[in-house]
Structures are given as structure tokens and as C-alpha cells.
Amino acid sequence: MKRIGVFVCWCGTNIANTVNIEAVTEAAGKMPGVVYAGNYKYMCSEIGQSKIKSAIIREKLDRFVVASCSPRMHESTFRKTAAAAGLNPYLVEIANIREHCSWVHKNKGEATAKAIALIRAAVAKAARDKELWATQIPVEHRALVIGGGIGGIQAALDIADAGFEVDLVERTPSIGGHMAQLDKTFPTLDCSACILTPKMGEAASHPKITLYTYSEVEKVDGYVGNFEATIRKKARSVDLEKCTGCGICWEKCPSRVKSEFDEALSMRKAIYIPFPQAVPNVPVIDRASCRWFTREKCGICRKTCPAGAVNFDQEDEVLQKKYGAIVVATGFDVLDLDDFGEYSYGKHPDVLTSLEFERILNSSGPTGGRLLRPSNQSPPKNVVFIQCVGSRDKSRGKPYCSKICCMYSAKHVILFKEKYPEAQAYVFYIDIRTAGKDFEEFHRRAVEEYGALYLKGSAGKVFPDGDKLLVKGVDSLSGHALEIEADMVVLATAIKAKSDAPQLARLLGISTDTHAFFMEAHPKLRPVEAHTAGIFLAGACQGPKDIPETVSQASGAAAKAIVLLSKENLLSDPCVSEVNESLCTGCLACIKVCPYSAITEKTIEEKIHGKALQRRVAEVNVALCQGCGSCTVSCRPGAVNLKGFTNEQIMAEVDAICL
Amino acid sequence: MKITRDNLCSSIVKEIAEISGENVAGCYQCGKCTAACPVNTVMDILPHQVLRFLQLGLVEALLNCNTIWICASCFTCAGRCPRGVDLPGIMEALRLILLRKRGFSRIKAGVIPRVADKGMPEQALVSAFRKYTR
Ligand SMILES: Cc1cc2nc3c(=O)[nH]c(=O)nc-3n(C[C@H](O)[C@H](O)[C@H](O)COP(=O)(O)OP(=O)(O)OC[C@H]3O[C@@H](n4cnc5c(N)ncnc54)[C@H](O)[C@@H]3O)c2cc1C
Ligand code: SF4
Ligand code: SF4
Ligand code: SF4
Ligand code: SF4
């Protein structure tokens, strides 16, 4: 016979006011298998726990039930109590008579009856508890950071500074991300390159960081502490070791295509570095536009390269490496404006997105920092900025606020007026959202010092009018419909998740929200962790963010990764599924429902009537299983069982309540 | 309505700024001034709208409105404004532009003893001079 103890907690008045503690204790004492029942004001306190410990020894209890708050609150506390008294910690059950009972009921009689029923169920389950043991999984002390924008760079530096090896995988030929494209940054107007390039250099020269640029992660297997990633290093066609970055090749290359980095406002060569401060400072050949690869002609770069670094025969390299933790920092894209014909974007060269405007402002940009109208290279006198283009728009754009555009529009006003003090800036806005340290003050400077006319309302149409653009808008504050003659129109275009974010999420086994931003494990309390253990999120891939926020989140993600990497072993939760092979029919229904891909098939050999037969059965990878229990309900013969929550235990609980 | 930099920075806009010493761009249109104004119900352009019109360079409408004359120059708005805008100063500037153009003051010190009764607050007299003299 089992020797079960029941400990009823008052939780001060939380439970005791609604549940008759004495009646519950008395009823519990008579339940099958129960040899002791007691109660105390705060079971979780030191005194409460020592009461449990001494009862275990005095009454020779071999398992016990605590009737108290939610197991989320104190299950681990009472498991430790059990262990301290020499009991296996999995021989403890919690009957939740607070959240599930006293807090949701008013009638004391009914609440007392319910509390007794809940304890009866817990006692029935406890009687069927078995000892379980956590296993140890070793941790690979290396991190993988995907995405080399400011978020990825910061996370990599922090993890590497803590002494762990980091591989930083960036898809494009250089690290830097969007920040490398920016001119100056709000709210301090630091030059973006001046604060970014030192960090890029530091990441490149850090002894613990390996950069994989022009590379992509193709596959990720494994689980927390033991991921295995497949990385494809695309062929650069230039030897990273030999190239000195002299630039002769791209000077001589005859093939010109639009520069992605300059938002198609300038041309680059087929052999190119995206921008002068690129890291690494080694070009790649874009084989789709190279004459050698498309027409087997030319080869000028190979001929002229003084270091003999150009190698047309280079092939993609695929490597496999193990990682303990992964940080995802793949950033954002700018919304496509195809559906927003009213702005004449793409039809008139003087209508630009903010990112294009950023390139034109930039001294290393397509105009060398001279702010001129793209149509005729003349200085603009009137510039209209339109905010919330595609943001907060549930019909054609994104319903969310892109968060950064109020601030960068104020920045654009200031930079424009710095260049042309006599010119006029107009800004159409719906609301001004400048929450952040020194942000509101920055915005007010654009209004008061730089004299930008902020117009509450939207612009309904932008169209060419002679060599100008006519902007039709409204000032909803004064109730005037307006027309403004503009030399340039700048659209603060919504930012959105990367278009391939869902694929990357699938590859990593993490989830995305309705807008394809990666989802955090908890919006308030676990904002830098993905749902999948060991994967962390940094920067705009998780939602619109500016640089300070990206950097903070990256350091947060790095700290979480460091905590993981600094462990020798991880303890795995023993409450995982197991397959009873003699019952399993091999239908593999469980494989389909498991959200963690923890189940695989295997073939077993059996002797039936002296004959060896092969049979297909399911197998659970205990390191991947998160104990959700989905498989157990999908299994028709009932062959899968979740340890600590077996089918038999659940049925016993139901019976205890219903019979 | 067409907005141009010329309207926004017209000489009369500059004159108003000079007389009042205020940068109208400081106002962010919260409407607190109007909400606090004791005579707002009889104004044709509300106090915060006066500022909005100025920000848009629409001075004509302001010179023809009744608001600048109804304004009691009580300074309630200025006392409540979170941006520290001196709206009574701006109202005064608008009136001064008109008074100076007309070239005469509406009241003379000599008439005061005849019209003033005992109950009249002294501030009303001061305000009256502010409002109606060049
Ligand atoms: C017009 C404009 C102006 C701005 N001005 C300011 C400003 O003044 N101040 C400020 O604080 N913020 C500003 N921002 C915001 C700033 O750009 C972002 O906060 C910052 O870039 C976010 O950094 P990130 O690393 O998260 O993403 P990103 O900068 O987007 O970097 C992501 C990196 O990951 C790489 N990547 C993507 N997918 C993969 C993949 N699958 N595998 C490998 N690599 C991948 C990308 O190539 C990129 O290099 C501005 C943004 C815009 C659009
Ligand atoms: S071979 Fe290709 S990359 Fe080299 S110079 Fe010719 S076109 Fe340019
Ligand atoms: S940050 Fe400002 S401009 Fe951007 S979407 Fe939000 S409210 Fe609109
Ligand atoms: S319990 Fe959940 S995670 Fe574990 S094997 Fe079953 S379905 Fe997969
Ligand atoms: S209270 Fe001040 S800031 Fe607000 S509307 Fe009036 S003048 Fe403008």
C-alpha cells in the first residue's frame, strides 16, 4: 500500500476565506492511500516546508500532494522539499485549489466540495507516480549568429567577449546591414558609419568570431545545447586570403548593374564590394551579371588582379558545425509601394523612399552627399515628407506603427535644412510618435528651430506639374485642403519582416507573428527568447526597432546565450514521451502532430513463432521532446505515454472526480 | 489652398513674430488655450486656431476675425500653455497691426473717469489700454 501525505495550504486568506480548510483536511485524511493530512497557513514558507519534511520522515510518506496554488508557482519548490527529505522529486503532486478554486468561486460550500474533488484527483494520480530522473545533456560551447546587421554584430561581440566562439553568418557580401546605408542617426546625429565601422572591424578581427559573409544557413538540426547547422558559403569567385582589396578589378570591370546598397540609385560592377567600408574588404563576382559567367567572355578582372585572387572556378562550400545557442538577427525589409500609386513612386524620379533619401544624403552615397533632385540635379527648395506610408494601414499596408519613421523624418528635415537653410520642409503626419530618450525634444527642434511645417493629415495625391511635383493634402487641424508645389517628395515607407522570414522560421523551428516577425516566448517577460529553447532574437527581425533598441535586445539575447553556453551540461526534464513498442502499430500518426519534430520512425526486429520479423515503430528523441503530450492523444492503440502524465494517471484523475 | 514658403514667411508673419516675440512653431495644437479661455463661445476663430492659421501663414483671416477683439487679454491661456506660448501677446500683435494701420487709438485716458464705475477691476482697465491703444 502507498503511504500518501496531503498538505493543505491556506495561502493566508487567499484560499482559507473561500475554502473550509479543516473540512478539506479531514476529507483528505480519509482518501485511499492517504496516511497523513495536515494544513498550514503558508505551505511554501520555510516553516511550511519543514512541516512537510518532518511528516515525510515521521509518517514514512513515500509520496505527497500539496493542495495550494498553481504548480507554475511552487511545484519546483515542493519538488526540492521532497528531494531534501530523500524522496524522488517526481513523487509530488499539486492540487491547484487557488487559481482553479478559491479565486474563481464565491460560495464556500461549493468551493470546499471542489477543493476536495481536486485533491482526490491529485491523490489518485500520486498513487500512480513513478520515480523519474532528469538526464544530463552536454552543451556545445559555440554560438551561431544569423544576420550581420548591427543586431547580429552586437550579439556576436558580446558572446565572444564572454569567451565563447561565435560564427556570424551574413547573406550579403558584407556585414553592416541597414545601418551601413544610413547617413546620420537620430537623436544625436552621429554619423552612422563612424559608429558602425569600428564595430564591424572589431567583429572581423575578434579572435573568437568567425565571419561567414555571402553565406547562408541551409539547415538546422538538433536541440538546445546541441544544434547542428549546415552553412553554405556561396562562391565569391575571389580568394579571401589573396585579395588585398586594391579595387583594380571593379574599376576595370565593364559590366554595370544597379547597386542594391544604393537602393538602385547608382550602378555597381559585376565584381564589387557593396560599399567602401565593407567588411571583409574583398569583392564578390555577381555571376548573374558577369560576362565571363554569362557569355564566357571578358575575364578582365582575372587578368588585371595583381594578387591573382580572382578564381572563376571557385565553388560553393558547405560546412556543418555544432552550436549550443543560436541568435537570429536577420533584420527587416522596406515595404514595396506597388499598391500605392497615388504617390507617383517609381513614376517620377523625385519621389523617393526614406531609405533612398538616406542614400542621397550620405557622403559615400550615389551623389557623394550632395542633396540634389534626381530628375535635374538642381537643389531642392521645397521638400514634402509624408509619414505613415503603408504603416497603420490595414487596407493596403501594415496595420502596425513602424516606430522609427516619425524620428527619421524629423532627422531628414534637419539634415535637409542644414544643407539648405533657406528651403522649406513640409511633413504630413497622422500622429507624432516620439517616445524615447531625447526623442520628443529632437522632433520639436525640427519644428521650432528648423521651421518644418508639420501638417496633421495625409497626402492624397502626388503628381508631376511642369518640372515640379504637386502634392495634394490636408491640414485637418485648420480644416484646409492644401496644395504644395514640391521639388522632392520623401515617403516614410513602412518596414516589414524579411520576405523569407517564414522559411527561416521553419528551418529553425521557431514561430512568427501574423506579420512574419519572429515571435518572442513572452511579450513582456521573455522578449529575447524564441519559443524553442536555445534560440534567441535580436533586432528588427522581431518587430520594428531603432538602433538603440536593437543593440539592447542584442545584448539581452547575448546574455541569455552566454548563460546557456557557460553550462557544462543541461538537465533535461524527464517528463517526456515514450513509446511502448509492443503496442505501437507503426501508423506514425504521432509524427504528424509533434510540433517539435521529436518523433522519428525506426525498424525493430521481433521473434514471432521463432521467425525474425521486421516492424516499423515510432521513436521519441527525448532531447527534443518538450512534453506537450500531443502525440499521446493522437495514438490510437495508446502506445505513447508521457512520463509523469501517463494515460493511466489521467484516467485515474478523471475517475476520482467523476465516480 | 496653395501653401508656399513665401506665404509662410511673409513680411506680415515676420512682423507679428517681431511684435509678439513669439515663435508660433512652438505651439503643438493641444487646444489647452481654447479650453481655458473664458470667452471662447463667442469667438469666430478659436484661440488655438489663431496659432494654426499663423503657422500656415493665413494672416488675412485673422485680421478680419472677431476673436482678436473679443480676447479679454486675461492671460489665462498663456498661464496654462504647456509650450509657454504667449498667445495674448500674439493677439495683441494682430490688433496692433490693425490699430497702427488705422493710425489712431480706440480709447483715450481722458474718457476713463466717465465710463469706469467702482466695480470695474483694475486689470480690465490695463487690458483695455493694451487692446485699444497704439
Ligand atoms: C530610412 C531609415 C532611417 C533610419 N534611421 C535611423 C536612425 O537615424 N537611428 C536609428 O536608431 N535607427 C534608424 N533606422 C533603423 C535601423 O536601420 C534599424 O534599427 C537597424 O538597422 C536594425 O538592425 P538589425 O540588425 O536588426 O537589422 P538590419 O540592419 O536589417 O540587418 C540585418 C542583417 O541580416 C542579414 N540577413 C537577413 N536575412 C538573413 C539570412 N537569412 N541569413 C543571413 N543573413 C541575413 C541582412 O543582409 C542584414 O545584413 C532607420 C531605418 C530606416 C529604414
Ligand atoms: S569577368 Fe566578370 S567580374 Fe570580371 S571584369 Fe569581366 S564582367 Fe567583370
Ligand atoms: S513611427 Fe510615426 S510615421 Fe512611422 S508609422 Fe508610426 S506614427 Fe507613422
Ligand atoms: S510530447 Fe509533444 S514534444 Fe514530446 S514527442 Fe509527444 S508531441 Fe512531440
Ligand atoms: S495651449 Fe499653447 S500649445 Fe496648446 S494650442 Fe494653445 S498655444 Fe498652442
Side-chain angles (χ1 to χ4, degrees):
Chain A
M1 196 56 195
K2 306 286 189 306
R3 296 187 63 80
I4 306 174
V6 176
F7 301 90
V8 184
C9 180
W10 303 23
C11 194
T13 55
N14 275 299
I15 296 172
N17 268 4
T18 325
V19 168
N20 182 336
I21 300 284
E22 285 309 326
V24 167
T25 312
E26 197 192 323
K30 295 183 191 141
M31 290 176 191
V34 174
V35 295
Y36 172 80
N39 62 64
Y40 182 62
K41 216 166 179 174
Y42 294 107
M43 223 71 228
C44 60
S45 66
E46 279 295 318
I47 303 175
Q49 290 191 57
S50 67
K51 279 182 188 291
I52 296 178
K53 277 184 246 172
S54 47
I56 291 171
I57 293 156
R58 192 178 65 239
E59 309 287 340
K60 300 195 176 53
L61 302 179
D62 64 359
R63 61 204 59 222
F64 64 88
V65 170
V66 186
S68 60
C69 52
S70 158
R72 278 179 169 264
M73 199 71 205
H74 278 310
E75 186 178 61
S76 63
T77 313
F78 295 121
R79 285 203 166 140
K80 283 185 200 126
T81 316
L87 273 186
N88 181 284
Y90 293 89
L91 299 174
V92 175
E93 291 298 329
I94 307 287
N96 181 352
I97 61 167
R98 194 178 75 175
E99 286 85 343
H100 286 180
C101 186
S102 69
W103 276 359
V104 289
H105 296 297
K106 288 202 174 80
N107 181 307
K108 197 160 185 174
E110 283 173 4
T112 305
K114 182 171 174 182
I116 293 171
L118 289 171
I119 294 171
R120 208 180 315 123
V123 167
K125 182 169 184 243
R128 291 156 181 84
D129 273 343
K130 294 204 169 65
E131 291 190 344
L132 297 175
W133 307 98
T135 47
Q136 302 224 324
I137 349 177
V139 175
E140 190 71 35
H141 300 293
R142 184 185 302 113
L144 170 64
V145 177
I146 309 176
I150 182 61
I153 293 173
Q154 184 64 44
L157 284 173
D158 287 345
I159 298 171
D161 282 344
F164 299 103
E165 274 180 46
V166 183
D167 289 351
L168 177 55
V169 176
E170 163 60 44
R171 170 187 284 162
T172 68
S174 170
I175 57 172
H178 282 103
M179 190 174 167
Q181 291 179 283
L182 307 181
D183 180 35
K184 303 213 164 57
T185 53
F186 63 74
T188 45
L189 295 181
D190 301 272
C191 135
S192 191
C194 314
I195 55 178
L196 175 67
T197 41
K199 279 203 185 274
M200 290 165 60
E202 207 186 321
S205 61
H206 201 296
K208 293 277 182 189
I209 299 180
T210 309
L211 291 187
Y212 293 109
T213 48
Y214 209 45
S215 302
E216 249 168 282
V217 176
E218 283 195 332
K219 193 161 172 249
V220 175
D221 287 323
Y223 45 87
V224 54
N226 292 275
F227 295 105
E228 183 160 346
T230 308
I231 299 167
R232 176 175 294 270
K233 288 174 71 184
K234 288 175 277 183
R236 274 188 113 88
S237 316
V238 176
D239 192 322
L240 267 171
E241 307 297 320
K242 289 190 193 155
C243 171
T244 59
C246 68
I248 292 177
C249 56
W250 67 78
E251 217 166 88
K252 296 279 192 278
C253 172
S255 175
R256 293 158 65 85
V257 281
K258 285 185 173 159
S259 153
E260 298 85 356
F261 186 80
D262 272 343
E263 297 292 315
L265 293 166
S266 74
M267 304 298 273
R268 63 159 170 83
K269 300 295 181 67
I271 187 165
Y272 72 108
I273 56 166
F275 55 103
Q277 304 82 13
V279 169
N281 183 25
V282 172
V284 299
I285 295 184
D286 162 15
R287 293 186 173 183
S289 52
C290 163
R291 295 184 187 190
W292 179 270
F293 285 96
T294 52
R295 286 177 253 162
E296 293 200 10
K297 273 194 268 200
C298 184
I300 290 175
C301 53
R302 186 168 60 184
K303 273 177 239 143
T304 52
C305 174
V310 176
N311 177 1
F312 294 140
D313 302 325
Q314 207 180 53
E315 282 175 14
D316 287 5
E317 225 180 292
V318 176
L319 13 136
Q320 286 201 333
K321 282 177 98 169
K322 296 198 82 180
Y323 301 97
I326 299 178
V327 177
V328 188
T330 48
F332 65 96
D333 275 337
V334 173
L335 187 73
D336 195 5
L337 290 178
D338 285 351
D339 286 343
F340 293 82
E342 72 265 37
Y343 297 121
S344 292
Y345 175 74
K347 283 183 241 143
H348 197 289
D350 296 336
V351 183
L352 301 169
T353 66
S354 297
L355 199 51
E356 291 164 352
F357 191 66
E358 200 78 48
R359 290 310 300 146
I360 291 190
L361 288 170
N362 198 302
S363 56
S364 63
T367 56
R370 279 172 314 135
L371 175 51
L372 301 171
R373 300 177 62 187
S375 63
N376 62 8
Q377 306 302 313
S378 68
K381 292 199 194 71
N382 293 287
V383 178
V384 172
F385 297 86
I386 305 174
Q387 293 194 172
C388 292
V389 172
S391 298
R392 308 169 69 198
D393 178 338
K394 61 179 186 174
S395 319
R396 288 180 290 164
K398 301 289 178 187
Y400 51 79
C401 163
S402 291
K403 205 172 176 183
I404 53 173
C405 11
C406 280
M407 279 301 285
Y408 72 55
S409 294
K411 172 183 79 173
H412 289 165
V413 163
I414 293 175
L415 297 176
F416 161 55
K417 287 281 290 181
E418 285 284 348
K419 288 188 200 276
Y420 301 110
E422 292 307 315
Q424 182 66 44
Y426 302 86
V427 185
F428 283 101
Y429 70 99
I430 301 173
D431 294 291
I432 293 295
R433 298 184 168 175
T434 49
K437 195 167 167 174
D438 293 332
F439 282 17
E440 173 68 9
E441 294 89 329
F442 183 82
H443 157 67
R444 290 310 305 174
R445 272 175 62 202
V447 183
E448 292 169 43
E449 270 177 51
Y450 292 89
L453 181 63
Y454 271 69
L455 297 156
K456 185 172 170 76
S458 203
K461 202 165 167 58
V462 177
F463 54 95
D465 181 23
D467 73 333
K468 307 254 181 214
L469 289 157
L470 198 63
V471 181
K472 295 188 70 145
V474 66
D475 174 56
S476 64
L477 289 174
S478 67
H480 283 97
L482 308 174
E483 276 179 13
I484 302 172
E485 236 174 40
D487 301 308
M488 277 170 95
V489 173
V490 181
L491 307 173
T493 312
I495 66 176
K496 64 169 182 113
K498 286 222 84 85
S499 38
D500 62 348
Q503 283 95 293
L504 185 61
R506 228 166 295 134
L507 194 142
L508 292 165
I510 62 178
S511 37
T512 50
D513 64 19
T514 43
H515 310 300
F517 289 112
F518 298 125
M519 194 127 98
E520 62 284 357
H522 189 284
K524 282 152 237 160
L525 302 179
R526 294 170 68 196
V528 304
E529 293 156 80
H531 275 293
T532 305
I535 302 187
F536 307 99
L537 307 174
C541 64
Q542 184 253 348
K545 262 181 213 73
D546 59 20
I547 296 163
E549 262 191 293
T550 297
V551 171
S552 334
Q553 197 187 17
S555 288
K560 288 278 177 189
I562 292 165
V563 169
L564 174 59
L565 296 174
S566 50
K567 291 189 174 137
E568 278 312 314
N569 291 297
L570 292 174
L571 274 188
S572 73
D573 187 340
C575 296
V576 290
S577 276
E578 63 181 346
V579 178
N580 180 340
E581 289 174 359
S582 56
L583 288 180
C584 175
T585 61
C587 73
L588 305 180
C590 50
I591 291 189
K592 291 196 204 90
V593 299
C594 176
Y596 303 98
S597 312
I599 308 180
T600 45
E601 59 169 289
K602 73 166 179 185
T603 308
I604 54 167
E605 209 157 277
E606 280 178 329
K607 277 229 161 69
I608 295 177
H609 306 307
K611 261 205 289 181
L613 283 179
Q614 288 203 331
R615 200 158 65 81
R616 185 174 79 164
V617 292
E619 186 182 33
V620 176
N621 180 339
V622 295
L624 289 181
C625 173
Q626 304 287 313
C628 72
S630 303
C631 51
T632 64
V633 283
S634 76
C635 180
R636 270 156 291 190
V640 203
N641 246 320
L642 186 57
K643 291 192 221 172
F645 298 85
T646 61
N647 295 335
E648 188 207 356
Q649 285 182 301
I650 307 283
M651 285 317 291
E653 283 189 283
V654 175
D655 285 349
I657 291 175
C658 301
L659 295 182
Chain B
M1 188 185 79
K2 212 158 194 152
I3 293 205
T4 61
R5 180 166 172 82
D6 291 345
N7 291 344
L8 297 178
C9 308
S10 65
S11 58
I12 191 150
V13 169
K14 286 195 188 125
E15 194 181 344
I16 293 165
E18 207 173 290
I19 299 175
S20 65
E22 283 300 289
N23 178 1
V24 292
C27 163
Y28 56 23
Q29 289 291 291
C30 68
K32 186 108 181 169
C33 46
T34 298
C37 175
V39 286
N40 58 16
T41 50
V42 283
M43 289 171 163
D44 52 3
I45 296 180
L46 293 170
H48 74 282
Q49 290 176 324
V50 169
L51 272 156
R52 189 59 187 158
F53 276 50
L54 278 175
Q55 288 171 344
L56 294 170
L58 306 175
V59 183
E60 262 322 293
L62 295 177
L63 294 178
N64 293 312
C65 71
N66 73 11
T67 301
I68 55 175
W69 303 109
I70 285 175
C71 165
S73 224
C74 67
F75 286 78
T76 312
C77 54
R80 308 268 158 90
C81 173
R83 305 292 305 168
V85 175
D86 178 14
L87 182 48
I90 288 167
M91 299 270 199
E92 183 169 20
L94 286 162
R95 286 189 301 260
L96 279 178
I97 284 172
L98 288 172
L99 290 171
R100 285 177 189 173
K101 210 157 53 180
R102 288 175 191 151
F104 60 89
S105 300
R106 282 287 186 87
I107 46 175
K108 304 223 160 51
V111 304
I112 295 300
R114 264 193 286 132
V115 296
D117 61 38
K118 278 223 179 71
M120 184 176 279
E122 279 155 28
Q123 197 193 335
L125 288 175
V126 178
S127 291
F129 276 99
R130 283 178 61 106
K131 272 174 68 172
Y132 298 120
T133 54
R134 282 199 283 155

